Amino acid sequence: MDLLRLRQLNALAVIGVLRGEQPLTLTDVAGRTGLSRASAEDVVRELMGKGWVAEAAPVAGGVGRPARRYRFRADAGRVVGVDIGGHKVLAMLADLDGSVERRVRVSVTPEMGRTERLAAVAEAITACLQGAPEVWAAGVATTGLVDGAGRVMFSDALPEWTGLDLAAHVGGLLPCPVRVENDSKLAALAECWTGVARHARDMVFLLAGLRTGTGLIIDGKLHKGFGNAAGSIGSLPAVGWIRAQEHLRSVEGEARDVFAAARRGERDAVAAVRRYVKDLALGASALVLTLDPEVVVVGGGFSRSADVLVEPLRRELDRWCLRTPEVRMSTLGDEGVALGAVRLALDHVEEHVLDVRGSPAGAGRSAGSP
Amino acid sequence: MDLLRLRQLNALAVIGVLRGEQPLTLTDVAGRTGLSRASAEDVVRELMGKGWVAEAAPVAGGVGRPARRYRFRADAGRVVGVDIGGHKVLAMLADLDGSVERRVRVSVTPEMGRTERLAAVAEAITACLQGAPEVWAAGVATTGLVDGAGRVMFSDALPEWTGLDLAAHVGGLLPCPVRVENDSKLAALAECWTGVARHARDMVFLLAGLRTGTGLIIDGKLHKGFGNAAGSIGSLPAVGWIRAQEHLRSVEGEARDVFAAARRGERDAVAAVRRYVKDLALGASALVLTLDPEVVVVGGGFSRSADVLVEPLRRELDRWCLRTPEVRMSTLGDEGVALGAVRLALDHVEEHVLDVRGSPAGAGRSAGSP
């Protein structure tokens, strides 16, 4: 482990313990992190310089000079998360705890070209930033395959989107580091952070909707793959995702009408949903057999039809898997992807905890909101 | 991160820098690990008490009292790795650097029952331990599905093997902690440690032989799954591993004869190998599309026929994968699994670096071999 990495880990450990309810003394910090008191003091001083930590107001009463106490400053900086989809652009402003302070939604259409969609992205971000304090990082979610540098390698869902350098484009709108990632991957991140898979270390997320996608959390971390192409099982014809949605189109009406008809017990609709679930489960089984996750979370548009999907999906998984994991429906609605983008931005600032441009909270004062 | 974990990480960081060629002073250790000098001194003292570290002989010459220098003691303890297979039991004794000091091989047959095979295991381990210094941990490899406690949940390859509490059995032969894991998983571990995938963080290992199996290394770590059942893609009929070897049996002779005939260009053999590779590649593609690894390593008995396998496999992967990883043949021969078991034992002692029963190397002397 290199020196900087160890320093960052120590800094993150200190932030972790200071995130609790009560301000802590240096002795508390040392005791809870396992650092020596001298190291704890070093780290706290450095974090104060960067703005992450402030001295708390002294406690009244007691005998003698009370020990100084320190607290995490969730409001030291902000992050932005943006979900760029076919039907909407959703931008969120959040503090360093990830509490969302502002949401801006701009409607778009699946047919829009690159210029129009990027104009909607600019509109959403600008409105989101209005009057906001310093933004430390941004996360951006898009459909398609995204490379490690934030360029869209391939997208068949959005017109004129393949080849777009999205990181550079959004970087021009925001004076901070920008990370871009695939939307299913970020929805997975959100489920483990603030959704139904909060306590899972290993999770398979299925985006079930007009597209079928997946995001994998392995050992508590988003798994991207060597070329950022992990989770592409859907492109293997043998597992059936390519044809999965076709079954729903075999019955008249929108997908939600088909699910509603299946709910009422209409035979054609019930059969169509069964065929859809069979194909969805085949690809899901390939993922489950490969990774043996604790839980499978189903999100995306179809997660609103949980009542007609969950049980059939569980039964199909049971057919193929050696150990069928828990199956849960997402409760994040259509905000999951944007929340994942917020988490991506938070991950960036936490990985660079000692590199942020600090807005120092001086040692001698009790820093409040900016 | 809890306190003990941080202490272990600091201890491992110190061991890591002391593993180099030259003994180091405390100032060196502090500089290279990022610990304060006081912390470095604490950790070094603790590691000396446990036997991991010794003071090196003072350097002659120079002016004034030279600073004390410290070195890693690879010979402070030993680990044992055991591969229990259908045709052989192979036990290895290795030092804390993983250098193998002794190999004991006992022949068995696929038909042997539980009692006979366990007698061969006892024979191999006893011969391996003879006159050996203290053993700190053992790793055991077996075919089949192994649970987290070292019990064989299921094995169709070895008779009377399902349900065996292998950890308890081997624990009765060895006075140290015993870890048990599936053989393909451990072969994967060996490839990343000392084989052709040494520099890969993400790797898919294919055991290609009379059985087809897989082991996954994700982010530098063996991926086990929530129920220890990861890598079971072979049980999904859609990906073809269940029938893969059948193709080779369609031509007269043992598998190696079929490969030899294919090498000579005999038509039936070439066709049989092509069908085998197609099925192998389908399952491998499911793994690659899911994980997007840097490299796929092929080991097991068929890896000796690399010349007729690698190119067809690469071509088939190219057909299905968005990004075809590098394909390499293992060079560890039939020792890969046992080496993986050695690595498993070393992982155990490194995770419990501060818990080992120390054979202390006193601060005042230059400790040599035990």
Side-chain angles (χ1 to χ4, degrees):
Chain A
M1 195 176 299
D2 62 41
L3 198 153
L4 179 62
R5 177 91 186 103
L6 207 60
R7 274 178 61 218
Q8 302 266 25
L9 275 181
N10 286 340
L12 273 184
V14 168
I15 287 176
V17 301
L18 289 179
R19 271 202 157 117
E21 300 269 300
Q22 297 296 327
L24 300 179
T25 65
L26 287 177
T27 308
D28 297 334
V29 171
R32 295 188 193 191
T33 56
L35 292 169
S36 69
R37 199 178 174 292
S39 298
E41 189 167 3
D42 277 357
V43 176
V44 166
R45 190 183 304 121
E46 191 164 11
L47 288 173
M48 288 179 75
K50 297 291 181 185
W52 287 91
V53 167
E55 197 177 329
V59 183
V63 181
R65 198 168 64 89
R68 288 182 170 169
R69 294 174 317 126
Y70 301 89
R71 63 175 181 83
F72 174 65
R73 288 181 67 210
D75 57 0
R78 295 293 185 285
V79 297
V80 166
V82 188
D83 168 16
I84 308 174
H87 294 276
K88 68 170 188 301
V89 173
L90 173 57
M92 289 179 172
L93 182 76
D95 70 12
L96 298 179
D97 273 336
S99 301
V100 177
E101 299 176 336
R102 191 178 294 160
R103 292 165 169 80
V104 178
R105 190 181 287 254
V106 175
S107 289
V108 292
T109 66
E111 298 74 30
M112 270 185 185
R114 185 190 283 201
T115 311
E116 278 176 293
R117 198 174 310 275
L118 287 178
V121 170
E123 185 189 338
I125 290 178
T126 307
C128 204
L129 288 184
Q130 213 140 55
E134 198 178 10
V135 173
W136 285 4
V140 178
T142 175
T143 65
L145 211 57
V146 179
D147 73 12
R151 190 183 293 268
V152 180
M153 290 188 281
F154 176 75
S155 166
D156 55 0
L158 300 182
E160 306 174 2
W161 212 243
T162 298
L164 172 64
D165 189 344
L166 198 48
H169 181 84
V170 177
L173 302 169
L174 276 163
C176 66
V178 174
R179 282 199 188 178
V180 183
E181 194 46 271
N182 167 272
D183 51 2
S184 301
K185 287 198 176 87
L186 291 182
L189 207 54
E191 294 298 338
C192 281
W193 173 41
T194 189
V196 293
R198 265 197 300 281
H199 304 296
R201 300 287 298 168
D202 291 289
M203 189 269 273
V204 164
F205 175 81
L206 300 178
L207 183 86
L210 296 175
R211 294 172 301 114
T212 308
T214 189
L216 310 172
I217 303 291
I218 300 179
D219 201 18
K221 279 174 22 191
L222 180 63
H223 181 71
K224 299 179 182 179
F226 186 69
N228 231 36
S232 305
I233 188 80
S235 66
L236 193 66
V239 304
W241 281 9
I242 293 168
R243 65 175 181 253
Q245 291 90 336
E246 300 288 331
H247 302 304
L248 300 176
R249 289 190 209 111
S250 67
V251 187
E252 200 147 338
E254 301 267 316
R256 74 177 146 217
D257 302 330
V258 180
F259 288 121
R263 194 173 291 124
R264 292 190 301 269
E266 291 177 24
R267 213 167 57 177
D268 287 358
V270 169
V273 170
R274 187 183 306 134
R275 284 193 299 269
Y276 167 71
V277 168
K278 263 183 194 295
D279 278 343
L280 182 68
L282 199 54
S285 297
L287 298 169
V288 167
L289 284 164
T290 299
L291 295 171
D292 185 22
E294 183 173 356
V295 54
V296 170
V297 176
V298 183
F302 295 176
S303 64
R304 278 171 294 208
S305 304
D307 56 327
V308 289
L309 282 177
V310 169
E311 274 316 311
L313 179 60
R314 198 173 278 142
R315 273 199 303 276
E316 280 294 312
L317 288 175
D318 250 346
R319 245 179 101 185
W320 303 120
C321 299
L322 297 184
R323 197 192 65 74
T324 305
E326 195 184 347
V327 178
R328 305 197 64 171
M329 286 285 156
S330 170
T331 56
L332 298 178
D334 75 345
E335 294 204 334
V337 174
L339 284 169
V342 166
R343 186 62 252 176
L344 183 69
L346 288 172
D347 285 350
H348 180 89
V349 296
E350 291 185 2
E351 281 162 31
H352 297 81
V353 52
L354 301 177
D355 310 333
V356 294
R357 297 162 306 167
S359 53
R365 61 195 171 84
S366 169
S369 299
Chain B
M1 195 174 303
D2 61 43
L3 197 156
L4 179 63
R5 177 90 187 105
L6 208 61
R7 273 178 62 217
Q8 302 267 23
L9 275 181
N10 285 339
L12 274 183
V14 168
I15 287 176
V17 301
L18 288 179
R19 269 201 159 117
E21 301 268 301
Q22 297 296 326
L24 301 179
T25 64
L26 287 177
T27 308
D28 297 334
V29 171
R32 296 188 192 189
T33 56
L35 292 168
S36 70
R37 197 178 175 292
S39 298
E41 190 167 4
D42 277 355
V43 176
V44 165
R45 190 183 306 119
E46 191 165 11
L47 288 172
M48 289 179 75
K50 297 291 182 185
W52 287 92
V53 165
E55 197 177 328
V59 182
V63 180
R65 198 168 65 90
R68 287 182 172 169
R69 294 174 318 125
Y70 300 88
R71 64 176 182 80
F72 175 64
R73 289 180 68 210
D75 58 0
R78 297 294 184 286
V79 298
V80 166
V82 188
D83 168 17
I84 307 175
H87 295 275
K88 69 169 189 297
V89 174
L90 173 57
M92 289 180 171
L93 182 76
D95 70 12
L96 298 179
D97 273 336
S99 302
V100 177
E101 299 176 336
R102 191 177 295 161
R103 291 166 169 79
V104 177
R105 189 181 287 257
V106 175
S107 290
V108 291
T109 66
E111 297 75 28
M112 270 185 185
R114 185 190 283 197
T115 311
E116 280 177 291
R117 198 174 311 275
L118 286 179
V121 170
E123 186 189 337
I125 289 178
T126 308
C128 204
L129 288 184
Q130 213 141 52
E134 200 179 9
V135 173
W136 285 3
V140 178
T142 176
T143 63
L145 212 56
V146 179
D147 73 11
R151 190 184 292 269
V152 180
M153 289 187 280
F154 177 74
S155 165
D156 54 1
L158 300 182
E160 305 173 5
W161 213 241
T162 298
L164 173 63
D165 188 344
L166 198 49
H169 182 84
V170 177
L173 302 169
L174 277 164
C176 65
V178 174
R179 282 199 188 178
V180 183
E181 195 45 273
N182 168 272
D183 52 2
S184 301
K185 286 198 176 87
L186 291 182
L189 207 53
E191 295 299 338
C192 281
W193 173 40
T194 187
V196 294
R198 264 197 300 281
H199 304 296
R201 299 286 300 167
D202 291 288
M203 188 269 274
V204 164
F205 175 81
L206 300 178
L207 183 86
L210 296 175
R211 295 173 300 117
T212 308
T214 189
L216 310 173
I217 303 290
I218 300 178
D219 201 17
K221 278 175 23 192
L222 179 63
H223 181 71
K224 299 179 182 180
F226 184 68
N228 231 35
S232 305
I233 188 82
S235 67
L236 193 67
V239 305
W241 281 10
I242 292 168
R243 65 177 181 252
Q245 291 91 337
E246 300 287 330
H247 302 305
L248 299 176
R249 289 190 208 111
S250 67
V251 188
E252 200 146 340
E254 302 269 316
R256 75 177 147 217
D257 302 329
V258 180
F259 288 122
R263 194 174 290 123
R264 291 192 302 269
E266 290 178 24
R267 212 166 58 176
D268 287 357
V270 169
V273 170
R274 186 183 306 133
R275 284 193 298 268
Y276 167 71
V277 168
K278 263 184 194 296
D279 277 343
L280 182 67
L282 200 54
S285 297
L287 297 169
V288 167
L289 284 164
T290 299
L291 295 171
D292 185 21
E294 182 173 358
V295 53
V296 170
V297 176
V298 183
F302 295 176
S303 63
R304 279 170 295 208
S305 303
D307 54 328
V308 289
L309 282 178
V310 170
E311 272 317 311
L313 180 60
R314 198 173 279 140
R315 273 199 303 276
E316 280 293 313
L317 289 176
D318 250 346
R319 244 180 102 184
W320 303 119
C321 299
L322 297 184
R323 196 193 64 76
T324 305
E326 196 184 347
V327 178
R328 305 198 63 174
M329 285 287 156
S330 170
T331 56
L332 298 177
D334 74 346
E335 294 204 335
V337 174
L339 285 169
V342 166
R343 184 63 252 173
L344 183 68
L346 288 172
D347 285 350
H348 181 90
V349 297
E350 291 184 2
E351 281 162 31
H352 297 81
V353 53
L354 301 177
D355 310 333
V356 294
R357 296 162 306 163
S359 54
R365 60 195 172 86
S366 170
S369 300

